């Protein structure tokens, strides 16, 4: 949550000139003060298709909104079918490359989420794993990525009805379900318990958007991603609707509705079991579970509030090409933060769909992705689309540090002491530190971080201090502090033209000077986009390859000697506008 008072932005009102001023403001604010955001941007691996303009644009906006580190953005080309692929290709060209890149970047310890921007197939045909062409042998991109330990191995073990050990099973005989935080390095036993050895590990996986077929437009995706970021920590006052009718799609989950409603009401969250297909004529939909083949949301005359999970138990909600049923994109179009649907006929198997307790996990402060995967026992066919980090009910602290301020110049040893002020009486369990996006170390409350800046190249760096509470959910908040290392008298100067905004039909010129450098490379996140030979010069290039939205270009002066002789420039921030925008 940014600020204490908010007005809900109208849908699709943020898709043109708003983007320029909003992203300049939110990036400056998040770097200069505690970042109020649910989830952990340092723990997200953002996968982007550089051959697909919508994918680039959505990723630019999401990385800006959520402050995803440049080290965590991976440009993975995909030129195949936009809707489907086979499992051999998925393993070799998508999942295998994603996992290998995480390891190569030494991010394995910190990555919990794999978020796909648009531009990748949502369905994976695994019939070859089952020795033929069995009917309905398709899984989802997100489900098979989550089940990566099983889906990387032939044999179809990921189709098990009990493949997801992270799912929270209802306690017997004690009612209720415990909610717990997720880490990609945690291992889970088949009773949902964390194990030191054995068990299975997973990676929370969500598509930010799908813009082909019956998906959403890029503008719609950017709208709902903005609304979901706005919802973080807002403690919303809307209502969760569990809709009941006599269709088998609805009846399959009826028995679990009362327990979920009771749990929510115990927490002070308003929830109700309604009769019919959709909640009607209400402006307070903070979540919805329905079960019907086709629905028309506008006809309900109801308003979905920011941060809501709205989903439908039906056969083809995740089929975004040629389906006769209402796709998941309809909820997202009207403001939901996340929705889901199966990518092939699943039959009325409850284990393949979210349990009604999904809204309970969410209301306890879990992220959208954590709430989903704690609620689906067999997620291999379920496509989840939206903002994985959204956490409307999270208790998010104000984080501060002594010993380092935004914009400081440092040399030699640096020592900082972090503090966290929690809003709901939580206690800090630990602090995590990230340097230039990569995990550095942890410390206990009251501890300090010391590091030797002479082991870093001169120039721009950023330190992230993340406070994590001592509850099982592991609520977190952070501060991001940019600083400049000055140990070797290396410098990097640059000038961008146009300086702040550039239309897609324009070319961007960057002049740079770095005495002593053999060349100066320009990077969009981790992707090299241009090189200036020598220690001074300029480069003009087409911004179309960057996509629309907020873009940060990093300049690096490269020397022939040690990497410590490099110099990092302050990011060049420009907003890329379409040629028809003002």
């Amino acid at each position: 949550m940014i600020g204490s008072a908010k007005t809900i932005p109208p849908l699709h009102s943020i898709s043109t000139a708003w983007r320029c001023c909003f992203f300049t403001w939110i990036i400056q604010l998040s770097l200069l003060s505690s970042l109020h955001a649910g989830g952990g941007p340092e723990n997200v691996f953002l996968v982007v298709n550089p051959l697909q303009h919508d994918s680039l644009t959505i990723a630019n906006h999401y990385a800006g909104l959520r402050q995803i580190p440049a080290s965590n953005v991976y440009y993975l080309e995909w030129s195949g079918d936009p809707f489907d692929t086979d499992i051999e290709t998925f393993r070799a060209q998508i999942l295998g490359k994603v996992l290998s890149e995480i390891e190569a970047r030494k991010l394995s310890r910190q990555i919990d989420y794999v978020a796909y921007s648009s531009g990748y197939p949502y369905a994976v045909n695994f019939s070859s794993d089952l020795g033929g062409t069995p009917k309905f042998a398709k899984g989802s991109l997100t489900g098979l990525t989550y089940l990566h330990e099983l889906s990387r191995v032939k044999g179809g073990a990921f189709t098990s009805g009990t493949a997801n050990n992270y799912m929270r099973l209802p306690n017997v005989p004690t009612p209720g379900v415990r909610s717990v935080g997720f880490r990609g390095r945690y291992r889970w036993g088949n009773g949902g318990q964390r194990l030191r050895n054995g068990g299975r590990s997973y990676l929370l996986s969500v598509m930010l958007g799908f813009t082909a077929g019956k998906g959403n437009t890029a503008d719609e995706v950017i709208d709902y991603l903005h609304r979901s970021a706005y919802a973080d920590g807002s403690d919303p006052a809307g209502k969760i609707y569990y809709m009941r009718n006599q269709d088998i799609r609805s009846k399959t989950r009826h028995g679990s509705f009362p327990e979920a409603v009771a749990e929510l009401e115990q927490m002070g969250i308003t929830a109700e079991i309604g009769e019919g297909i959709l909640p009607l004529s209400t402006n307070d939909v903070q979540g919805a579970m329905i079960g019907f083949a086709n629905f028309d949301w506008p006809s309900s005359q109801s308003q979905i509030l920011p941060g809501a999970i709205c989903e439908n138990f039906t056969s083809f909600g995740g089929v975004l090409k040629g389906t006769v049923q209402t796709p998941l994109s309809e909820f997202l179009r009207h403001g939901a933060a996340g929705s889901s649907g199966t990518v092939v006929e699943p039959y009325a198997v409850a284990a393949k769909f979210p349990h009604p307790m999904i809204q309970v996990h969410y209301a306890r402060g879990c992220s959208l992705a954590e709430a989903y995967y704690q609620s689906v026992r067999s997620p291999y066919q379920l496509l989840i689309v939206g903002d994985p980090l959204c956490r409307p009910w999270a208790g998010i602290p104000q984080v501060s540090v002594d010993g380092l301020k935004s914009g400081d110049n440092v040399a030699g040893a640096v020592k900082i002491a972090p503090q966290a002020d929690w809003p709901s009486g939580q206690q800090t369990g630990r602090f995590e530190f990230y340097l230039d996006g990569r995990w550095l170390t942890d410390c206990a409350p009251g501890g300090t971080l010391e590091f030797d800046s002479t082991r870093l190249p001169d120039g721009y760096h950023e330190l992230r201090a993340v406070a994590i509470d001592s509850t099982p959910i592991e609520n977190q908040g952070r501060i991001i502090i940019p600083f400049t290392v000055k140990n070797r008298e290396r410098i990097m100067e640059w000038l961008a033209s146009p300086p702040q905004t550039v239309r897609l039909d324009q070319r961007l010129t960057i002049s740079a000077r770095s005495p002593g450098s053999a060349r100066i490379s320009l990077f969009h996140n981790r992707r090299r986009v241009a090189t200036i030979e020598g220690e001074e010069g300029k480069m003009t290039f087409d911004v179309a390859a960057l996509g629309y939205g907020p873009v940060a270009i990093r300049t690096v002066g490269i020397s022939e000697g040690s990497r410590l002789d490099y110099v990092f420039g302050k990011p060049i921030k420009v907003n890329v506008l379409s040629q028809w925008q003002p």
Side-chain angles (χ1 to χ4, degrees), residues 37-377:
E42 304 82 18
N43 312 120
V44 175
F45 199 63
L46 177 55
V47 185
V48 190
N49 185 357
L51 304 180
Q52 217 257 23
H53 202 268
D54 283 350
S55 187
L56 288 164
T57 297
I58 290 166
N60 287 341
H61 283 274
Y62 192 67
L65 273 170
R66 291 299 188 179
Q67 290 296 281
I68 307 296
S71 58
N72 292 26
V73 182
Y74 177 37
Y75 294 93
L76 175 62
E77 292 187 358
W78 176 261
S79 57
D81 189 284
F83 301 100
D84 298 87
T85 189
D86 60 84
I87 196 160
E88 292 86 357
T89 303
F90 168 71
R91 287 179 178 130
Q93 300 301 320
I94 299 179
L95 181 61
K97 289 188 175 182
V98 167
L99 297 178
S100 295
E101 191 68 18
I102 291 171
E103 184 175 355
R105 296 186 186 188
K106 296 181 171 53
L107 300 175
S108 299
R109 187 192 184 282
Q110 71 189 69
I111 295 302
D112 307 328
Y113 299 74
V114 173
Y116 294 97
S117 190
S118 67
Y120 297 99
Y122 65 80
V124 179
N125 187 313
F126 57 82
S127 58
S128 62
D129 265 25
L130 304 184
T133 55
K135 199 173 184 181
F136 308 137
K138 281 188 178 181
S140 73
L141 175 71
T142 57
L144 295 181
T145 298
Y146 175 76
L147 298 167
H148 65 96
E149 285 192 344
L150 298 177
S151 60
R152 291 192 78 182
V153 180
K154 291 185 178 181
F158 51 82
T159 65
S160 166
T162 59
N164 180 14
N165 292 344
Y166 177 55
M167 191 226 176
R168 309 288 89 199
L169 296 169
N171 295 321
V172 178
T174 306
V177 176
R178 184 169 177 261
S179 302
V180 297
F182 178 92
R183 282 296 170 97
R185 64 181 184 271
Y186 292 168
R187 303 199 68 82
W188 305 90
N190 58 17
Q193 73 278 26
R194 272 182 54 191
L195 303 176
R196 289 185 177 274
N197 299 295
R200 293 174 182 157
S201 65
Y202 307 97
L203 285 169
L204 303 173
S205 184
V206 171
M207 290 195 84
L208 299 181
F210 189 83
T211 58
K214 293 193 174 182
N216 297 100
T217 67
D219 276 350
E220 288 172 346
V221 175
I222 293 164
D223 283 356
Y224 65 68
L225 291 177
H226 165 63
R227 284 164 57 87
S228 65
Y230 155 96
D232 280 355
S234 61
D235 193 19
K239 184 184 292 186
I240 310 297
Y241 289 86
Y242 292 92
M243 300 306 299
R244 185 169 59 185
N245 61 67
Q246 292 308 303
D247 192 293
I248 184 60
R249 298 168 179 86
S250 180
K251 291 168 68 176
T252 301
R253 296 192 289 193
H254 285 181
S256 300
F257 284 179
E259 183 181 6
V261 169
E263 287 278 344
L264 289 165
E265 290 182 340
Q266 254 191 346
M267 293 185 286
I269 308 297
T270 306
E272 72 172 38
I273 300 171
E275 300 296 331
I277 300 169
L278 299 172
L280 301 178
S281 301
T282 181
N283 62 358
D284 64 353
V285 180
Q286 194 58 60
M289 300 194 79
I290 73 169
F292 208 73
N294 288 286
F295 64 90
D296 176 20
W297 184 262
S299 71
S300 74
Q301 298 184 8
S302 292
Q303 180 185 2
I304 297 173
L305 299 181
I309 293 176
C310 300
E311 55 81 46
N312 184 18
F313 189 120
T314 193
S315 296
F316 305 118
V319 178
L320 301 175
K321 176 186 178 182
T323 180
V324 296
Q325 295 183 356
T326 304
L328 61 87
S329 52
E330 185 67 5
F331 278 129
L332 298 169
R333 179 170 295 113
H334 295 285
S339 192
S340 61
T342 47
V343 299
V344 72
E345 172 60 62
Y347 297 112
V349 178
K352 296 181 179 182
F353 291 86
H355 188 279
M357 284 290 180
I358 184 175
Q359 303 288 356
V360 174
H361 296 305
Y362 203 35
R364 287 175 179 160
C366 292
S367 71
L368 183 144
E370 287 174 327
Y372 256 107
Y373 285 106
Q374 285 181 96
S375 308
V376 186
R377 194 69 167 125

Side-chain angles (χ1 to χ4, degrees), residues 449-488:
L449 167 70
E450 298 183 48
F451 66 91
D452 180 4
S453 72
T454 65
R455 299 174 65 85
L456 300 175
D458 275 5
Y460 179 91
H461 298 272
E462 67 172 36
L463 180 75
R464 300 179 180 222
V466 181
I468 299 175
D469 77 6
S470 57
T471 70
I473 292 175
E474 301 185 55
N475 290 288
Q476 61 177 260
R478 61 198 28 77
I479 186 171
I480 303 176
I481 308 170
F483 65 97
T484 300
V485 171
K486 290 191 172 183
N487 285 307
R488 299 173 182 84

Side-chain angles (χ1 to χ4, degrees), residues 376-390:
V376 186
R377 194 69 167 125
S378 182
Y380 74 99
Q381 290 179 325
L382 190 71
L383 179 69
I384 304 172
V385 183
D387 182 354
L389 293 181
C390 187

